Amino acid sequence: MTGALAHTVVESPCGPLTLVARDGALAGLYMTDQRHRPAQETFGPRTGLSLFARVAEQLDAYFAGDLTHFDLDLSLDGTAFQRSVWAGLLTIPYGTTVSYGELAARLGQPGASRAVGLANGRNPVGIIVPCHRVVGANGSLTGYGGGLDRKRWLLDFERGAHQTVLMDAFA
């Protein structure tokens, strides 16, 4: 990541979430033990930017079941293909899923489901850029940087199975 960086940590039902900002926009949302999580020292100083308050507010509303679409400035650092996949993720409606192949076809590259899966796994802003909404061709839960238990929890949550138990195992 390049640019002025800062970070903070917020609590959520999925465990602590590390928020990273770059030049006033959200550049990262990482879960504990997340695959492809950059090293902590690359996140910049821990601070209380007003952006983080807005992100935390929207995350709280999401986890309360009151928000289905985030409205935040994002700064997603990746290749052109990765950014196109992440933009495609933003079009998947709350509470629904698509397969990697379906997402590849939507992007005009029907033979690129594996590449879509790899880009999906590198999504730097989990939950808000909803990579958890992508599943295998048969509907199976395949891969998730935050772990399959979190992916299952997020999908169940969005489908209306509002769990009262927090994800203490991920704290």
Side-chain angles (χ1 to χ4, degrees):
M1 290 186 203
T2 59
L5 294 170
H7 82 281
T8 195
V9 177
V10 298
E11 293 301 320
S12 84
C14 292
L17 302 175
T18 300
L19 306 177
V20 180
R22 179 178 44 244
D23 298 329
L26 186 65
L29 184 155
Y30 300 103
M31 299 172 194
T32 305
D33 300 324
Q34 181 171 331
R35 189 173 6 127
H36 305 301
R37 178 187 168 116
Q40 186 76 23
E41 56 271 10
T42 66
F43 294 156
R46 189 165 180 164
T47 184
L49 293 175
S50 61
L51 166 69
F52 293 143
R54 187 162 180 239
V55 174
E57 244 175 51
Q58 290 191 29
L59 284 167
D60 287 346
Y62 169 81
F63 286 119
D66 298 330
L67 181 77
T68 61
H69 178 78
F70 292 91
D71 181 23
L72 298 163
D73 291 329
L74 301 175
S75 178
L76 304 178
D77 190 22
T79 67
F81 180 76
Q82 287 172 326
R83 288 191 311 273
S84 74
V85 170
W86 302 333
L89 294 173
L90 291 168
T91 69
I92 304 169
Y94 179 92
T96 65
T97 58
V98 300
S99 71
Y100 295 97
E102 287 175 275
L103 185 54
R106 287 182 186 184
L107 298 172
Q109 299 190 37
S113 60
R114 287 184 63 103
V116 164
L118 291 172
N120 197 51
R122 293 285 185 168
N123 172 21
V125 181
I127 301 172
I128 292 169
V129 177
C131 53
H132 60 277
R133 296 180 189 155
V134 184
V135 297
N138 63 359
S140 63
L141 299 188
T142 59
Y144 185 61
L148 289 181
D149 287 340
R150 280 193 186 104
K151 182 172 187 166
R152 183 176 299 104
W153 190 93
L154 287 164
L155 291 173
D156 287 347
F157 171 78
E158 288 187 3
R159 290 180 180 137
H162 296 271
Q163 298 94 342
T164 56
V165 177
L166 301 182
M167 298 281 298
D168 290 332
F170 301 108

PDB file of all heavy atoms in Angstrom, residues 67-89:
ATOM      1  N   LEU A  67     -28.540  -2.423   7.859  1.00  0.00           N
ATOM      2  CA  LEU A  67     -27.839  -1.891   6.693  1.00  0.00           C
ATOM      3  C   LEU A  67     -27.514  -3.035   5.744  1.00  0.00           C
ATOM      4  O   LEU A  67     -26.949  -4.044   6.164  1.00  0.00           O
ATOM      5  CB  LEU A  67     -26.538  -1.197   7.130  1.00  0.00           C
ATOM      6  CG  LEU A  67     -25.704  -0.566   6.032  1.00  0.00           C
ATOM      7  CD1 LEU A  67     -26.326   0.750   5.593  1.00  0.00           C
ATOM      8  CD2 LEU A  67     -24.277  -0.322   6.511  1.00  0.00           C
ATOM      9  N   THR A  68     -27.881  -2.874   4.485  1.00  0.00           N
ATOM     10  CA  THR A  68     -27.604  -3.922   3.500  1.00  0.00           C
ATOM     11  C   THR A  68     -26.631  -3.463   2.422  1.00  0.00           C
ATOM     12  O   THR A  68     -26.224  -4.262   1.587  1.00  0.00           O
ATOM     13  CB  THR A  68     -28.906  -4.398   2.830  1.00  0.00           C
ATOM     14  OG1 THR A  68     -29.511  -3.286   2.161  1.00  0.00           O
ATOM     15  CG2 THR A  68     -29.865  -4.992   3.853  1.00  0.00           C
ATOM     16  N   HIS A  69     -26.283  -2.183   2.425  1.00  0.00           N
ATOM     17  CA  HIS A  69     -25.358  -1.650   1.429  1.00  0.00           C
ATOM     18  C   HIS A  69     -24.509  -0.569   2.087  1.00  0.00           C
ATOM     19  O   HIS A  69     -25.048   0.378   2.658  1.00  0.00           O
ATOM     20  CB  HIS A  69     -26.138  -1.057   0.244  1.00  0.00           C
ATOM     21  CG  HIS A  69     -25.259  -0.442  -0.794  1.00  0.00           C
ATOM     22  ND1 HIS A  69     -24.574  -1.196  -1.710  1.00  0.00           N
ATOM     23  CD2 HIS A  69     -24.932   0.848  -1.030  1.00  0.00           C
ATOM     24  CE1 HIS A  69     -23.871  -0.375  -2.490  1.00  0.00           C
ATOM     25  NE2 HIS A  69     -24.072   0.858  -2.086  1.00  0.00           N
ATOM     26  N   PHE A  70     -23.201  -0.726   2.006  1.00  0.00           N
ATOM     27  CA  PHE A  70     -22.281   0.240   2.606  1.00  0.00           C
ATOM     28  C   PHE A  70     -22.083   1.432   1.674  1.00  0.00           C
ATOM     29  O   PHE A  70     -22.100   1.284   0.448  1.00  0.00           O
ATOM     30  CB  PHE A  70     -20.924  -0.422   2.887  1.00  0.00           C
ATOM     31  CG  PHE A  70     -20.989  -1.464   3.959  1.00  0.00           C
ATOM     32  CD1 PHE A  70     -21.232  -2.792   3.642  1.00  0.00           C
ATOM     33  CD2 PHE A  70     -20.798  -1.123   5.286  1.00  0.00           C
ATOM     34  CE1 PHE A  70     -21.296  -3.756   4.638  1.00  0.00           C
ATOM     35  CE2 PHE A  70     -20.859  -2.078   6.287  1.00  0.00           C
ATOM     36  CZ  PHE A  70     -21.113  -3.398   5.960  1.00  0.00           C
ATOM     37  N   ASP A  71     -21.892   2.603   2.261  1.00  0.00           N
ATOM     38  CA  ASP A  71     -21.635   3.823   1.501  1.00  0.00           C
ATOM     39  C   ASP A  71     -20.359   4.457   2.047  1.00  0.00           C
ATOM     40  O   ASP A  71     -20.403   5.319   2.926  1.00  0.00           O
ATOM     41  CB  ASP A  71     -22.823   4.784   1.623  1.00  0.00           C
ATOM     42  CG  ASP A  71     -22.622   6.057   0.828  1.00  0.00           C
ATOM     43  OD1 ASP A  71     -21.824   6.052  -0.131  1.00  0.00           O
ATOM     44  OD2 ASP A  71     -23.246   7.072   1.182  1.00  0.00           O
ATOM     45  N   LEU A  72     -19.228   3.974   1.551  1.00  0.00           N
ATOM     46  CA  LEU A  72     -17.923   4.407   2.039  1.00  0.00           C
ATOM     47  C   LEU A  72     -16.979   4.628   0.863  1.00  0.00           C
ATOM     48  O   LEU A  72     -17.083   3.942  -0.162  1.00  0.00           O
ATOM     49  CB  LEU A  72     -17.318   3.336   2.959  1.00  0.00           C
ATOM     50  CG  LEU A  72     -18.096   3.008   4.222  1.00  0.00           C
ATOM     51  CD1 LEU A  72     -17.632   1.693   4.814  1.00  0.00           C
ATOM     52  CD2 LEU A  72     -17.940   4.144   5.225  1.00  0.00           C
ATOM     53  N   ASP A  73     -16.051   5.555   1.014  1.00  0.00           N
ATOM     54  CA  ASP A  73     -14.999   5.739   0.023  1.00  0.00           C
ATOM     55  C   ASP A  73     -13.982   4.626   0.220  1.00  0.00           C
ATOM     56  O   ASP A  73     -13.496   4.404   1.340  1.00  0.00           O
ATOM     57  CB  ASP A  73     -14.313   7.093   0.195  1.00  0.00           C
ATOM     58  CG  ASP A  73     -15.226   8.256  -0.168  1.00  0.00           C
ATOM     59  OD1 ASP A  73     -16.090   8.080  -1.060  1.00  0.00           O
ATOM     60  OD2 ASP A  73     -15.084   9.328   0.445  1.00  0.00           O
ATOM     61  N   LEU A  74     -13.668   3.930  -0.873  1.00  0.00           N
ATOM     62  CA  LEU A  74     -12.721   2.828  -0.826  1.00  0.00           C
ATOM     63  C   LEU A  74     -11.495   3.149  -1.655  1.00  0.00           C
ATOM     64  O   LEU A  74     -11.589   3.830  -2.686  1.00  0.00           O
ATOM     65  CB  LEU A  74     -13.374   1.549  -1.363  1.00  0.00           C
ATOM     66  CG  LEU A  74     -14.632   1.071  -0.645  1.00  0.00           C
ATOM     67  CD1 LEU A  74     -15.225  -0.132  -1.373  1.00  0.00           C
ATOM     68  CD2 LEU A  74     -14.335   0.735   0.801  1.00  0.00           C
ATOM     69  N   SER A  75     -10.362   2.646  -1.223  1.00  0.00           N
ATOM     70  CA  SER A  75      -9.106   2.757  -1.957  1.00  0.00           C
ATOM     71  C   SER A  75      -8.541   1.350  -2.062  1.00  0.00           C
ATOM     72  O   SER A  75      -7.811   0.895  -1.176  1.00  0.00           O
ATOM     73  CB  SER A  75      -8.143   3.686  -1.213  1.00  0.00           C
ATOM     74  OG  SER A  75      -6.906   3.752  -1.896  1.00  0.00           O
ATOM     75  N   LEU A  76      -8.911   0.649  -3.124  1.00  0.00           N
ATOM     76  CA  LEU A  76      -8.546  -0.753  -3.283  1.00  0.00           C
ATOM     77  C   LEU A  76      -7.294  -0.869  -4.143  1.00  0.00           C
ATOM     78  O   LEU A  76      -7.295  -0.471  -5.308  1.00  0.00           O
ATOM     79  CB  LEU A  76      -9.702  -1.533  -3.905  1.00  0.00           C
ATOM     80  CG  LEU A  76     -11.031  -1.428  -3.148  1.00  0.00           C
ATOM     81  CD1 LEU A  76     -12.129  -2.190  -3.870  1.00  0.00           C
ATOM     82  CD2 LEU A  76     -10.884  -1.913  -1.717  1.00  0.00           C
ATOM     83  N   ASP A  77      -6.246  -1.403  -3.557  1.00  0.00           N
ATOM     84  CA  ASP A  77      -4.949  -1.514  -4.211  1.00  0.00           C
ATOM     85  C   ASP A  77      -4.791  -2.921  -4.773  1.00  0.00           C
ATOM     86  O   ASP A  77      -4.696  -3.887  -4.022  1.00  0.00           O
ATOM     87  CB  ASP A  77      -3.854  -1.211  -3.182  1.00  0.00           C
ATOM     88  CG  ASP A  77      -2.486  -1.054  -3.809  1.00  0.00           C
ATOM     89  OD1 ASP A  77      -2.408  -0.755  -5.018  1.00  0.00           O
ATOM     90  OD2 ASP A  77      -1.486  -1.223  -3.085  1.00  0.00           O
ATOM     91  N   GLY A  78      -4.770  -3.031  -6.104  1.00  0.00           N
ATOM     92  CA  GLY A  78      -4.605  -4.323  -6.752  1.00  0.00           C
ATOM     93  C   GLY A  78      -4.423  -4.135  -8.243  1.00  0.00           C
ATOM     94  O   GLY A  78      -4.410  -3.011  -8.747  1.00  0.00           O
ATOM     95  N   THR A  79      -4.312  -5.249  -8.947  1.00  0.00           N
ATOM     96  CA  THR A  79      -4.187  -5.186 -10.402  1.00  0.00           C
ATOM     97  C   THR A  79      -5.521  -4.742 -10.997  1.00  0.00           C
ATOM     98  O   THR A  79      -6.557  -4.747 -10.319  1.00  0.00           O
ATOM     99  CB  THR A  79      -3.823  -6.563 -10.979  1.00  0.00           C
ATOM    100  OG1 THR A  79      -4.932  -7.449 -10.775  1.00  0.00           O
ATOM    101  CG2 THR A  79      -2.556  -7.142 -10.330  1.00  0.00           C
ATOM    102  N   ALA A  80      -5.509  -4.399 -12.274  1.00  0.00           N
ATOM    103  CA  ALA A  80      -6.749  -3.992 -12.949  1.00  0.00           C
ATOM    104  C   ALA A  80      -7.771  -5.129 -12.891  1.00  0.00           C
ATOM    105  O   ALA A  80      -8.966  -4.885 -12.661  1.00  0.00           O
ATOM    106  CB  ALA A  80      -6.455  -3.588 -14.394  1.00  0.00           C
ATOM    107  N   PHE A  81      -7.326  -6.368 -13.080  1.00  0.00           N
ATOM    108  CA  PHE A  81      -8.249  -7.497 -13.029  1.00  0.00           C
ATOM    109  C   PHE A  81      -8.824  -7.659 -11.622  1.00  0.00           C
ATOM    110  O   PHE A  81     -10.029  -7.847 -11.457  1.00  0.00           O
ATOM    111  CB  PHE A  81      -7.566  -8.797 -13.476  1.00  0.00           C
ATOM    112  CG  PHE A  81      -8.491  -9.984 -13.439  1.00  0.00           C
ATOM    113  CD1 PHE A  81      -9.458 -10.153 -14.421  1.00  0.00           C
ATOM    114  CD2 PHE A  81      -8.414 -10.905 -12.403  1.00  0.00           C
ATOM    115  CE1 PHE A  81     -10.335 -11.239 -14.379  1.00  0.00           C
ATOM    116  CE2 PHE A  81      -9.284 -11.991 -12.355  1.00  0.00           C
ATOM    117  CZ  PHE A  81     -10.239 -12.158 -13.351  1.00  0.00           C
ATOM    118  N   GLN A  82      -7.981  -7.591 -10.605  1.00  0.00           N
ATOM    119  CA  GLN A  82      -8.465  -7.705  -9.232  1.00  0.00           C
ATOM    120  C   GLN A  82      -9.504  -6.623  -8.933  1.00  0.00           C
ATOM    121  O   GLN A  82     -10.563  -6.914  -8.382  1.00  0.00           O
ATOM    122  CB  GLN A  82      -7.306  -7.598  -8.232  1.00  0.00           C
ATOM    123  CG  GLN A  82      -6.423  -8.815  -8.191  1.00  0.00           C
ATOM    124  CD  GLN A  82      -5.189  -8.606  -7.329  1.00  0.00           C
ATOM    125  OE1 GLN A  82      -4.635  -7.501  -7.251  1.00  0.00           O
ATOM    126  NE2 GLN A  82      -4.738  -9.677  -6.684  1.00  0.00           N
ATOM    127  N   ARG A  83      -9.208  -5.396  -9.323  1.00  0.00           N
ATOM    128  CA  ARG A  83     -10.153  -4.300  -9.063  1.00  0.00           C
ATOM    129  C   ARG A  83     -11.469  -4.528  -9.798  1.00  0.00           C
ATOM    130  O   ARG A  83     -12.534  -4.200  -9.272  1.00  0.00           O
ATOM    131  CB  ARG A  83      -9.524  -2.954  -9.421  1.00  0.00           C
ATOM    132  CG  ARG A  83      -8.441  -2.531  -8.419  1.00  0.00           C
ATOM    133  CD  ARG A  83      -7.996  -1.081  -8.590  1.00  0.00           C
ATOM    134  NE  ARG A  83      -7.669  -0.721  -9.948  1.00  0.00           N
ATOM    135  CZ  ARG A  83      -6.476  -0.880 -10.531  1.00  0.00           C
ATOM    136  NH1 ARG A  83      -5.479  -1.398  -9.829  1.00  0.00           N
ATOM    137  NH2 ARG A  83      -6.273  -0.511 -11.774  1.00  0.00           N
ATOM    138  N   SER A  84     -11.417  -5.136 -10.994  1.00  0.00           N
ATOM    139  CA  SER A  84     -12.672  -5.417 -11.705  1.00  0.00           C
ATOM    140  C   SER A  84     -13.476  -6.493 -10.982  1.00  0.00           C
ATOM    141  O   SER A  84     -14.700  -6.410 -10.903  1.00  0.00           O
ATOM    142  CB  SER A  84     -12.406  -5.811 -13.163  1.00  0.00           C
ATOM    143  OG  SER A  84     -11.871  -7.115 -13.264  1.00  0.00           O
ATOM    144  N   VAL A  85     -12.793  -7.479 -10.430  1.00  0.00           N
ATOM    145  CA  VAL A  85     -13.484  -8.520  -9.653  1.00  0.00           C
ATOM    146  C   VAL A  85     -14.092  -7.891  -8.397  1.00  0.00           C
ATOM    147  O   VAL A  85     -15.266  -8.140  -8.079  1.00  0.00           O
ATOM    148  CB  VAL A  85     -12.528  -9.681  -9.283  1.00  0.00           C
ATOM    149  CG1 VAL A  85     -13.168 -10.624  -8.272  1.00  0.00           C
ATOM    150  CG2 VAL A  85     -12.112 -10.433 -10.542  1.00  0.00           C
ATOM    151  N   TRP A  86     -13.345  -7.069  -7.703  1.00  0.00           N
ATOM    152  CA  TRP A  86     -13.852  -6.446  -6.479  1.00  0.00           C
ATOM    153  C   TRP A  86     -15.032  -5.533  -6.783  1.00  0.00           C
ATOM    154  O   TRP A  86     -15.994  -5.487  -6.013  1.00  0.00           O
ATOM    155  CB  TRP A  86     -12.735  -5.706  -5.748  1.00  0.00           C
ATOM    156  CG  TRP A  86     -11.576  -6.610  -5.386  1.00  0.00           C
ATOM    157  CD1 TRP A  86     -11.615  -7.961  -5.166  1.00  0.00           C
ATOM    158  CD2 TRP A  86     -10.220  -6.237  -5.226  1.00  0.00           C
ATOM    159  NE1 TRP A  86     -10.355  -8.437  -4.878  1.00  0.00           N
ATOM    160  CE2 TRP A  86      -9.476  -7.396  -4.907  1.00  0.00           C
ATOM    161  CE3 TRP A  86      -9.547  -5.019  -5.319  1.00  0.00           C
ATOM    162  CZ2 TRP A  86      -8.108  -7.385  -4.680  1.00  0.00           C
ATOM    163  CZ3 TRP A  86      -8.168  -5.002  -5.092  1.00  0.00           C
ATOM    164  CH2 TRP A  86      -7.458  -6.180  -4.774  1.00  0.00           C
ATOM    165  N   ALA A  87     -14.988  -4.837  -7.920  1.00  0.00           N
ATOM    166  CA  ALA A  87     -16.140  -4.025  -8.333  1.00  0.00           C
ATOM    167  C   ALA A  87     -17.341  -4.934  -8.601  1.00  0.00           C
ATOM    168  O   ALA A  87     -18.479  -4.595  -8.257  1.00  0.00           O
ATOM    169  CB  ALA A  87     -15.793  -3.200  -9.569  1.00  0.00           C
ATOM    170  N   GLY A  88     -17.097  -6.091  -9.192  1.00  0.00           N
ATOM    171  CA  GLY A  88     -18.170  -7.055  -9.427  1.00  0.00           C
ATOM    172  C   GLY A  88     -18.774  -7.565  -8.125  1.00  0.00           C
ATOM    173  O   GLY A  88     -19.986  -7.783  -8.041  1.00  0.00           O
ATOM    174  N   LEU A  89     -17.945  -7.735  -7.108  1.00  0.00           N
ATOM    175  CA  LEU A  89     -18.450  -8.187  -5.801  1.00  0.00           C
ATOM    176  C   LEU A  89     -19.454  -7.188  -5.236  1.00  0.00           C
ATOM    177  O   LEU A  89     -20.437  -7.569  -4.609  1.00  0.00           O
ATOM    178  CB  LEU A  89     -17.296  -8.363  -4.812  1.00  0.00           C
ATOM    179  CG  LEU A  89     -16.279  -9.457  -5.114  1.00  0.00           C
ATOM    180  CD1 LEU A  89     -15.113  -9.388  -4.131  1.00  0.00           C
ATOM    181  CD2 LEU A  89     -16.919 -10.827  -5.111  1.00  0.00           C
TER     182      LEU A  89
END
